[in-house]
Amino acid sequence: MPTAEAIAQSGDRVSNSAVIQRTFSVLEAVAASGCAAAKTVATRLEIPLPTVYRLLNELADSGYLVYLKDTKRFELGPKCFELGLSFQQRLVAPHPIRQITDQLHRSLGTAAYFAIYRGSDIILTYCSDCEKHPRLRPLRFGFHEAAHATAFGKILLAGMPEPQRTDYLEARGMQVLTPQTMISREALDPHLAEVATRGIAWEHEEFLPRQTCAAVPVRNGTGMQVGAMAISTPSSKMVGRAKEVESTLREHAGLASSYLRGGSVTVPVAEHA
Amino acid sequence: MPTAEAIAQSGDRVSNSAVIQRTFSVLEAVAASGCAAAKTVATRLEIPLPTVYRLLNELADSGYLVYLKDTKRFELGPKCFELGLSFQQRLVAPHPIRQITDQLHRSLGTAAYFAIYRGSDIILTYCSDCEKHPRLRPLRFGFHEAAHATAFGKILLAGMPEPQRTDYLEARGMQVLTPQTMISREALDPHLAEVATRGIAWEHEEFLPRQTCAAVPVRNGTGMQVGAMAISTPSSKMVGRAKEVESTLREHAGLASSYLRGGSVTVPVAEHA
DNA sequence: TCCTCATTCTCACCACATGAAAAAGTCGAT
DNA sequence: ATCGACTTTTTCATGTGGTGAGAATGAGGA
C-alpha cells in the first residue's frame, strides 16, 4: 500500500495496475514461503479468497506456479526456473572472459572474479574458484550489494560519475560487515578518488575477516570502464605478493579489455594448475 | 486470442485475464530476445504501443525488468534472478542426499544423479560430477524432458500409475535422441514393466551415443517411490562392471531412502577420490 | 537548430476484474 | 455409506480501472 508520502519521496509513478501488482505479490508470496496454500496467501496478503484463487490459477496456467494436489499447495513452476536461466545466460560473462578469469585464478592461486555495470546495478558475471582456492562464500553470480566493501565494488564505484555513485550508495546503504568496513562517504570518497587515480582497488578485511581482495578496471573499445577483474585470497597468503598480484591482475584485465575492444579472440596461454 | 476450438480441445479453462496474460507475454518476449525495445515487443505481440509501455513500466517498477537508458532496451531484472534462486533453493536435494550422491560419484568413478517427482514433473535435483567423470552434458539441475531415454527417467516412469505415465508421455512426446531410443509405447511399456519388477533401469546409448546409465528407486517412509538415484558413464568403462554398479547404486539409494525414512542423518563413509 | 524517433499523456468507452454468497467438490473419519 | 469439515469453484450485479487512438512531450543526432 503506497502511502502519499511514499509517492512524494520516490520519483517513480505509482499509477500502477492493481491486477498486475496483486499477481506479482501472490507469486512472490509463494516464492517466499517455498510453498503456500491458497488460504495462507489470502490471509497474508489480505486479498479475498476467490480472487486469490483466480490469480493462483492464472499463474499456474501460465507455468509460473504449479499446484501440488497431494499437499494442496502451490509452488514455483517451470517458468520461474526459465526466467532465472534466461537471466543467467544473458548476463554470464562471455566465454573468452571466463577463460581469462580462469587463467587468472590458476596463475595466482586465488579465486578470481569478473563483474560489470548494468544500468545502475553491479553484477558479478563470473566466479572462478576451486576447493583449494575457494571464492568468498557470499559472492556468487548475480547482483552485488556490498560494493563499498569489496575490491571490485570499489573499482566500479570509483568509475561511476558522482551523482550515480551517490544514488547507488543511498539506494542500498553501506552495511557494516567487518570492523574495517568503510561506512561513511567521508571515509569512502577520498579512498575511491585514490582508487581511481591508481587504477587498482585493494580491500583488506573490509568484507570478510582475514580476507584480502584486489581489483582493476576492464575497459571497452571506447576506453570506458565497463567492468572489473578481481581476485580474493586469505590475507595470510598475500604478504609480500602485492606487486606480483597487481601485475598479473593488470595483465589479465588487459586481455579482457582487448577482447572487449577487438571482439577478436584473445588466446589465453595454457597453464598447469 | 484463445479460439473456441482451443477451449474445446484443452481441458484447462481459458477464462484467463487478458492483462495478466499480456503482462507475462511481454515478460517472456523480453526473456526470449534477451533484450528488447518497446516497439519490437509491440510489433511482435501485436499490442498497441501505449499498452506495451504501460506493461513494460509496470514490470520494471516491480523489478522483473530493467530499462537500460543507453540502449533504450528492456532486460530481465533482479526479480527474475530471485525467482530462479527461490526455485533452486526449494528444489535442490537436501544436504545429506547431496552427500550420498557425491559419495556414489566417488565410489564408482561415474557422474551421479538424484531426481524426484514433483506434481507431474520429473526434476533432476542434484548432479555430482567432476572433470574426470563429467555428467552427460544435456543433464543439469532442473526439469527433465526425456524420461523415456534416461535411466532415472525410466525408473521414475516405471513407478508412475499407468494413467499418469500416459499423460506424461503424451504431453511431452518421445523424442528420438539416438538410434537406440525407444520411441513407441509398444517398445517402452514392456521394458518399463521389466524395470519395475527388477527395480533397476539400465539405459544403453538411448540418450547419448556411447554412454550408459543406470538408476534405482529411492523410497520414502511409507515405501512409496519418490525419487531415483542414477549414474552415467561411457559405455566403454562399463564392461563387466554391471554387478558392481548395481550393488553400489542400491547401497547408496538405500542410504538415501533411509534418510528420507528416518529424517535421521545417515553418516556417509568418508572416501578418497 | 531542426528533425526524428522514443516515450508519455489525455480521455471517453465499456470490457472485465471484483468479491460476497452460495454451490460444488474432496477427503478422512466414524 | 454417511456425516462433517475443509478446499475450490461458480454465480452475478457492480463500477473500477484497463484500453488504445491520437496528440503532446521529451531526448538525441546530424
PDB file of all heavy atoms in Angstrom, chain A residues 115-126:
ATOM      1  N   ALA A 115      33.215  -8.717 -12.961  1.00  0.00           N
ATOM      2  CA  ALA A 115      31.957  -8.014 -12.672  1.00  0.00           C
ATOM      3  C   ALA A 115      31.772  -6.872 -13.644  1.00  0.00           C
ATOM      4  O   ALA A 115      32.739  -6.351 -14.204  1.00  0.00           O
ATOM      5  CB  ALA A 115      31.974  -7.479 -11.243  1.00  0.00           C
ATOM      6  N   ILE A 116      30.516  -6.501 -13.860  1.00  0.00           N
ATOM      7  CA  ILE A 116      30.201  -5.425 -14.807  1.00  0.00           C
ATOM      8  C   ILE A 116      29.134  -4.491 -14.242  1.00  0.00           C
ATOM      9  O   ILE A 116      28.469  -4.800 -13.256  1.00  0.00           O
ATOM     10  CB  ILE A 116      29.670  -5.977 -16.148  1.00  0.00           C
ATOM     11  CG1 ILE A 116      28.405  -6.818 -15.893  1.00  0.00           C
ATOM     12  CG2 ILE A 116      30.718  -6.790 -16.859  1.00  0.00           C
ATOM     13  CD1 ILE A 116      27.566  -7.044 -17.118  1.00  0.00           C
ATOM     14  N   TYR A 117      29.011  -3.336 -14.884  1.00  0.00           N
ATOM     15  CA  TYR A 117      27.856  -2.473 -14.677  1.00  0.00           C
ATOM     16  C   TYR A 117      26.720  -2.984 -15.543  1.00  0.00           C
ATOM     17  O   TYR A 117      26.940  -3.410 -16.673  1.00  0.00           O
ATOM     18  CB  TYR A 117      28.137  -1.053 -15.193  1.00  0.00           C
ATOM     19  CG  TYR A 117      29.249  -0.293 -14.547  1.00  0.00           C
ATOM     20  CD1 TYR A 117      30.370   0.096 -15.272  1.00  0.00           C
ATOM     21  CD2 TYR A 117      29.167   0.091 -13.219  1.00  0.00           C
ATOM     22  CE1 TYR A 117      31.381   0.846 -14.696  1.00  0.00           C
ATOM     23  CE2 TYR A 117      30.186   0.834 -12.630  1.00  0.00           C
ATOM     24  CZ  TYR A 117      31.285   1.205 -13.370  1.00  0.00           C
ATOM     25  OH  TYR A 117      32.281   1.940 -12.800  1.00  0.00           O
ATOM     26  N   ARG A 118      25.501  -2.868 -15.021  1.00  0.00           N
ATOM     27  CA  ARG A 118      24.341  -2.961 -15.913  1.00  0.00           C
ATOM     28  C   ARG A 118      23.287  -2.017 -15.379  1.00  0.00           C
ATOM     29  O   ARG A 118      22.763  -2.239 -14.289  1.00  0.00           O
ATOM     30  CB  ARG A 118      23.763  -4.353 -16.019  1.00  0.00           C
ATOM     31  CG  ARG A 118      22.766  -4.414 -17.184  1.00  0.00           C
ATOM     32  CD  ARG A 118      21.983  -5.693 -17.251  1.00  0.00           C
ATOM     33  NE  ARG A 118      21.102  -5.852 -16.109  1.00  0.00           N
ATOM     34  CZ  ARG A 118      20.003  -6.591 -16.137  1.00  0.00           C
ATOM     35  NH1 ARG A 118      19.680  -7.237 -17.234  1.00  0.00           N
ATOM     36  NH2 ARG A 118      19.250  -6.706 -15.061  1.00  0.00           N
ATOM     37  N   GLY A 119      22.963  -1.012 -16.183  1.00  0.00           N
ATOM     38  CA  GLY A 119      22.077   0.026 -15.681  1.00  0.00           C
ATOM     39  C   GLY A 119      22.706   0.582 -14.414  1.00  0.00           C
ATOM     40  O   GLY A 119      23.882   0.923 -14.403  1.00  0.00           O
ATOM     41  N   SER A 120      21.958   0.626 -13.350  1.00  0.00           N
ATOM     42  CA  SER A 120      22.514   1.148 -12.110  1.00  0.00           C
ATOM     43  C   SER A 120      22.909   0.016 -11.165  1.00  0.00           C
ATOM     44  O   SER A 120      23.038   0.220  -9.968  1.00  0.00           O
ATOM     45  CB  SER A 120      21.498   2.063 -11.437  1.00  0.00           C
ATOM     46  OG  SER A 120      20.290   1.362 -11.240  1.00  0.00           O
ATOM     47  N   ASP A 121      23.106  -1.159 -11.716  1.00  0.00           N
ATOM     48  CA  ASP A 121      23.496  -2.282 -10.878  1.00  0.00           C
ATOM     49  C   ASP A 121      24.933  -2.694 -11.133  1.00  0.00           C
ATOM     50  O   ASP A 121      25.508  -2.377 -12.173  1.00  0.00           O
ATOM     51  CB  ASP A 121      22.592  -3.500 -11.163  1.00  0.00           C
ATOM     52  CG  ASP A 121      21.197  -3.284 -10.642  1.00  0.00           C
ATOM     53  OD1 ASP A 121      21.046  -2.896  -9.475  1.00  0.00           O
ATOM     54  OD2 ASP A 121      20.242  -3.519 -11.420  1.00  0.00           O
ATOM     55  N   ILE A 122      25.456  -3.423 -10.171  1.00  0.00           N
ATOM     56  CA  ILE A 122      26.743  -4.080 -10.354  1.00  0.00           C
ATOM     57  C   ILE A 122      26.467  -5.574 -10.309  1.00  0.00           C
ATOM     58  O   ILE A 122      25.836  -6.064  -9.372  1.00  0.00           O
ATOM     59  CB  ILE A 122      27.728  -3.678  -9.245  1.00  0.00           C
ATOM     60  CG1 ILE A 122      28.142  -2.226  -9.450  1.00  0.00           C
ATOM     61  CG2 ILE A 122      28.945  -4.597  -9.237  1.00  0.00           C
ATOM     62  CD1 ILE A 122      29.038  -1.688  -8.358  1.00  0.00           C
ATOM     63  N   ILE A 123      26.892  -6.268 -11.354  1.00  0.00           N
ATOM     64  CA  ILE A 123      26.600  -7.691 -11.431  1.00  0.00           C
ATOM     65  C   ILE A 123      27.883  -8.485 -11.553  1.00  0.00           C
ATOM     66  O   ILE A 123      28.739  -8.182 -12.391  1.00  0.00           O
ATOM     67  CB  ILE A 123      25.667  -7.996 -12.628  1.00  0.00           C
ATOM     68  CG1 ILE A 123      24.373  -7.194 -12.485  1.00  0.00           C
ATOM     69  CG2 ILE A 123      25.362  -9.477 -12.707  1.00  0.00           C
ATOM     70  CD1 ILE A 123      23.338  -7.491 -13.540  1.00  0.00           C
ATOM     71  N   LEU A 124      27.991  -9.466 -10.691  1.00  0.00           N
ATOM     72  CA  LEU A 124      29.120 -10.384 -10.740  1.00  0.00           C
ATOM     73  C   LEU A 124      28.772 -11.424 -11.792  1.00  0.00           C
ATOM     74  O   LEU A 124      27.850 -12.217 -11.597  1.00  0.00           O
ATOM     75  CB  LEU A 124      29.289 -11.012  -9.350  1.00  0.00           C
ATOM     76  CG  LEU A 124      30.480 -11.903  -9.097  1.00  0.00           C
ATOM     77  CD1 LEU A 124      31.769 -11.214  -9.500  1.00  0.00           C
ATOM     78  CD2 LEU A 124      30.529 -12.279  -7.620  1.00  0.00           C
ATOM     79  N   THR A 125      29.489 -11.398 -12.922  1.00  0.00           N
ATOM     80  CA  THR A 125      29.059 -12.259 -14.015  1.00  0.00           C
ATOM     81  C   THR A 125      29.894 -13.527 -14.148  1.00  0.00           C
ATOM     82  O   THR A 125      29.592 -14.370 -14.990  1.00  0.00           O
ATOM     83  CB  THR A 125      29.048 -11.513 -15.364  1.00  0.00           C
ATOM     84  OG1 THR A 125      30.376 -11.056 -15.640  1.00  0.00           O
ATOM     85  CG2 THR A 125      28.117 -10.319 -15.306  1.00  0.00           C
ATOM     86  N   TYR A 126      30.931 -13.627 -13.336  1.00  0.00           N
ATOM     87  CA  TYR A 126      31.668 -14.892 -13.327  1.00  0.00           C
ATOM     88  C   TYR A 126      32.575 -14.993 -12.110  1.00  0.00           C
ATOM     89  O   TYR A 126      33.199 -14.024 -11.712  1.00  0.00           O
ATOM     90  CB  TYR A 126      32.511 -15.040 -14.604  1.00  0.00           C
ATOM     91  CG  TYR A 126      33.123 -16.414 -14.759  1.00  0.00           C
ATOM     92  CD1 TYR A 126      32.316 -17.548 -14.841  1.00  0.00           C
ATOM     93  CD2 TYR A 126      34.505 -16.588 -14.797  1.00  0.00           C
ATOM     94  CE1 TYR A 126      32.876 -18.809 -14.966  1.00  0.00           C
ATOM     95  CE2 TYR A 126      35.064 -17.852 -14.930  1.00  0.00           C
ATOM     96  CZ  TYR A 126      34.242 -18.966 -15.012  1.00  0.00           C
ATOM     97  OH  TYR A 126      34.787 -20.216 -15.135  1.00  0.00           O
TER      98      TYR A 126
END
